Amino acid sequence: MKHYGLIGYPLSHSFSKQYFTDKFQKENITDTVYDVYPIEHISQLPALLKEHPDLCGLNVTVPHKISVLKYLDWIERDAKSAGAVNCIRITAESPVAAAFAGEVGVKGHDFMLEGFNTDIYGFEMSLRPLLKDYHDQALVLGDGGAAKAVKCVLESLGINFKVVTRKPANDNILFKDLKPRHIKENLIIINTTPLGTSPNVNEYPPIPYEAITDDHLLYDLIYNPEKTVFLQKGEERGATIKNGYEMLILQAEKSWEIWTAKNIHP
């Protein structure tokens, strides 16, 4: 049996487990299982890999998308530029042999851990159809692992952006300093924070919603609930809204493509 799974903490409800279980059943893939592996600290990863030698690939979710980098032997270019990984391919190839082919850190094991960021693909493919000519400036709410993929996509699309956080960092805007003019100047607003995720469905990012117009595009990476308060408030003011469900589907399929490809390296 080939084993795949998800690491993160906590993992009370896993979209990925249900999605891949349904996929395997629908496509009659009988030699493969997908499970969840809740690990609170990324330092538990080596022990997990030792305990489950049949693992061929992992998805990575909060809070490990950034801290997992140091455990990888090779990181794909987009994931490297984003500084976050949400998909790991595990191959039997020795890192020692692969070290001659590229940027590989030998970690002292007899398999290879390759890191990818399929969030980048999922976000870009789900965002593109919604963009209008005037969508050239964005606010990114939050600055965790998911935000890194979002920023990477915005940069590649030539969309200027500002990051909004609770605590000062770099040239970020603080939530408490957000004014209606910031909303009016940035017609794309992307929520990468967990605010509003089930079961805390009454929470939402503290921004001046009164300044939102029907030219705005509000994108929430959250998929449960289907329509967060953040999206509801945007919809009430005529904005185009999008949740993170399609992004999840796209990134899951991209993960499967990576895991089952014969060769990833050029």
Side-chain angles (χ1 to χ4, degrees):
M1 287 290 270
K2 293 174 185 169
H3 286 75
Y4 298 89
L6 173 72
I7 59 169
Y9 192 86
L11 295 177
S12 52
H13 172 74
S14 166
F15 162 88
S16 299
K17 180 175 171 59
Q18 190 64 54
Y19 181 81
F20 280 109
T21 301
D22 291 346
K23 176 183 173 68
F24 299 155
Q25 188 173 5
K26 187 169 61 180
E27 298 180 17
N28 201 28
I29 301 170
T30 56
D31 63 342
T32 306
V33 294
Y34 190 103
D35 216 334
V36 294
Y37 303 100
I39 57 172
E40 190 169 359
H41 301 290
I42 196 61
S43 59
Q44 297 168 262
L45 178 61
L48 175 74
L49 295 169
K50 193 172 182 182
E51 187 182 344
H52 300 277
D54 293 331
L55 273 170
C56 302
L58 288 169
N59 287 125
V60 184
T61 189
V62 290
H64 304 319
K65 290 184 181 185
I66 300 167
S67 57
V68 75
L69 295 175
K70 63 180 176 285
Y71 290 92
L72 304 177
D73 301 300
W74 178 86
I75 302 171
E76 179 257 347
R77 187 189 61 201
D78 282 351
K80 195 177 288 183
S81 63
V85 157
N86 76 315
C87 173
I88 300 171
R89 174 175 147 120
I90 305 168
T91 63
E93 182 180 12
S94 165
V96 177
F100 296 99
E103 294 182 46
V104 176
V106 180
K107 310 293 185 185
H109 44 234
D110 58 358
F111 51 84
M112 188 169 176
L113 300 178
E114 302 169 318
F116 302 83
N117 192 312
T118 62
D119 281 340
I120 293 173
Y121 173 81
F123 179 65
E124 180 170 355
M125 292 301 106
S126 59
L127 177 72
R128 272 183 179 274
L130 305 174
L131 295 174
K132 308 291 187 193
D133 292 343
Y134 50 79
H135 287 141
D136 56 359
Q137 294 202 137
L139 290 177
V140 179
L141 311 181
D143 202 15
K148 291 185 177 297
V150 167
K151 292 188 287 184
C152 203
V153 170
L154 294 177
E155 282 174 5
S156 73
L157 294 175
I159 297 172
N160 296 319
F161 62 87
K162 280 285 188 182
V163 177
V164 186
T165 51
R166 287 183 299 110
K167 297 176 182 174
N170 303 321
D171 60 346
N172 292 0
I173 303 171
L174 297 181
F175 274 106
K176 69 180 182 64
D177 294 334
L178 265 187
K179 301 288 188 290
R181 68 176 175 83
H182 293 115
I183 304 299
K184 289 172 183 171
E185 289 167 1
N186 297 274
L187 295 179
I188 306 173
I189 307 175
I190 303 154
N191 178 40
T192 74
T193 78
L195 291 169
T197 308
S198 181
N200 304 312
V201 296
N202 295 320
E203 296 180 349
Y204 54 89
I207 68 172
Y209 290 95
E210 69 275 9
I212 291 172
T213 68
D214 55 8
D215 286 334
H216 276 84
L217 166 58
L218 268 62
Y219 193 123
D220 200 329
L221 267 57
I222 294 168
Y223 69 95
N224 182 23
E226 187 177 332
K227 197 182 289 183
T228 58
V229 174
F230 169 73
L231 293 182
Q232 288 173 37
K233 286 176 173 288
E235 188 177 49
E236 286 165 7
R237 288 158 182 81
T240 299
I241 63 168
K242 177 84 173 178
N243 70 17
Y245 187 73
E246 186 188 13
M247 175 181 169
L248 268 181
I249 300 284
L250 290 166
Q251 68 85 15
E253 284 299 326
K254 181 57 94 172
S255 292
W256 182 246
E257 184 184 312
I258 287 166
W259 293 332
T260 55
K262 284 196 171 127
N263 187 24
I264 292 293
H265 302 292

